[in-house]
Amino acid sequence: MPQVIYTEQHDEITDLVDRVRKATDPEVALVLSAGTVGLQTPLNVRLLRQLGMRADKTVSIVSGDPYIQELSRVGGLATYASVPAFERGIQTVRPHSDEGLAAFAAGGATAGAAAPPAP
């Protein structure tokens, strides 16, 4: 069963990576609160994904924050709106616009629960 790890809003990327590395299960879900400091940039998302892979971990993000959801999806991480959605395997959907994160940041997209995103 995947390990669910609850994080703090002030956790930096180094804290998140450390928690993933120390996880006892190869599948890890980080439950992030809105505005989590360590996951606010595309670079941090890529670092989390890459360093998780080096530690033989599959990282998923659980957050109700639409910005974190979109940032995580664009960065290649499975993203869920809530822990129950994670437990059921219901990932958040991609924005309907082809403009990705730019359209999202401008308020042109909303996230909801649905099937896994298309490749």
Side-chain angles (χ1 to χ4, degrees):
M1 169 155 247
Q3 186 171 349
V4 176
I5 300 172
Y6 291 85
T7 65
E8 303 289 329
Q9 186 175 12
H10 64 273
D11 283 345
E12 297 285 341
I13 186 63
T14 54
D15 300 318
L16 300 177
V17 169
D18 190 46
R19 289 176 186 222
V20 167
R21 285 182 176 160
K22 289 180 179 178
T24 56
D25 196 276
E27 291 187 47
V28 179
L30 291 176
V31 181
L32 306 175
S33 60
T36 298
V37 175
L39 210 64
Q40 290 295 316
T41 68
L43 175 61
N44 284 357
V45 173
R46 287 193 305 269
L47 281 172
L48 182 62
R49 183 172 180 257
Q50 290 173 354
L51 294 173
M53 287 172 41
R54 284 187 187 166
D56 293 322
K57 309 287 183 188
T58 301
V59 180
S60 297
I61 299 299
V62 178
S63 177
D65 183 334
Y67 178 75
I68 290 177
Q69 290 174 358
E70 180 62 10
L71 195 63
S72 299
R73 265 194 316 277
V74 169
L77 296 175
T79 308
Y80 303 88
S82 65
V83 173
F86 170 73
E87 291 170 345
R88 292 181 181 101
I90 304 170
Q91 293 187 34
T92 57
V93 294
R94 292 180 184 260
H96 295 286
S97 170
D98 289 334
E99 297 174 23
L101 194 55
F104 179 80
T110 57

